[in-house]
Amino acid sequence: PPPPAPMEAKIIGDFETAGEIQAWGGKSVKIASSPEHATSGKFSGRITLASAGGCLEIKDLQAKAGPLIAYKAFGLDLYNPNDAEIAFRLIFYREIRFEKPFKNSIREVRIAPKTGGRLHVETAELFKTGGPPDEILGMQIVLPAAPAGKNEVEFFLDNVRFEK
């Protein structure tokens, strides 16, 4: 069979430069570039979140990707180097204080120990009951609780993108 057609995407985070790393922020988070587990370019983001309540955030998605209505899906690649499963909440929001999350905008994500995967969320499904995707301001990855006995959790993130 022929190889799959290349995916058209707008990369909004692949952690290749200091400027790309600075575009990310959050609460109780450390972000560094790493050659480990890269799926786009030479580097991935090594993310360390403090236990419960730590979050990684990217703002101004419109400025980074253009009109979001043009995209069919949001995707990102994750790798869990830990000996225990980690669970996140992926949240899209339209106000900085997270007072008005979109309905259907929260996804529970679980990553098995020592494995990676590609997360793919259809934008039509994500926003069908919550308003147009062009109202999105940002996205957060929230760690609701660290695995037992851990004060922080490390994982790798790469190839954060909107797909056409």
Side-chain angles (χ1 to χ4, degrees):
M7 171 184 60
E8 262 193 85
K10 175 65 176 176
I11 305 295
I12 58 172
D14 67 357
F15 304 93
E16 296 298 312
T17 67
E20 290 174 13
I21 292 169
Q22 290 172 353
W24 294 80
K27 177 182 159 191
S28 303
V29 63
K30 295 178 211 164
I31 308 164
S33 182
S34 172
E36 297 175 85
H37 310 292
T39 59
S40 170
K42 294 181 181 180
F43 299 100
S44 67
R46 179 190 298 259
I47 313 299
T48 306
L49 291 176
S51 59
C55 86
L56 175 69
E57 179 173 41
I58 188 163
K59 298 177 183 178
D60 302 324
L61 291 178
Q62 298 277 346
K64 291 171 179 58
L68 301 183
I69 199 80
Y71 299 97
K72 292 182 180 177
F74 172 81
L76 54 82
D77 302 338
L78 294 162
Y79 182 82
N80 174 8
N82 302 288
D83 291 328
E85 176 183 82
I86 51 178
F88 301 99
R89 287 191 183 118
L90 178 66
I91 303 170
F92 290 88
Y93 62 90
R94 57 180 160 196
E95 287 195 5
I96 298 300
R97 292 196 165 129
F98 190 56
E99 291 167 0
K100 293 186 179 178
F102 284 96
K103 294 176 185 172
N104 258 1
S105 68
I106 299 173
R107 291 287 186 269
E108 300 291 334
V109 179
R110 295 185 176 279
I111 309 168
K114 309 285 186 195
T115 61
R118 179 163 279 182
L119 176 69
H120 180 88
V121 180
E122 297 288 331
T123 53
E125 174 64 24
L126 193 59
F127 302 108
K128 71 180 180 183
T129 62
D134 284 349
E135 291 182 8
I136 304 171
L137 288 182
M139 183 271 298
Q140 295 178 331
I141 296 175
V142 178
L143 181 68
K150 295 269 190 176
N151 290 330
E152 58 185 26
V153 171
E154 180 180 271
F155 64 96
F156 294 86
L157 176 66
D158 201 15
N159 199 17
V160 182
R161 65 203 175 272
F162 281 96
E163 304 166 354
K164 289 193 174 193

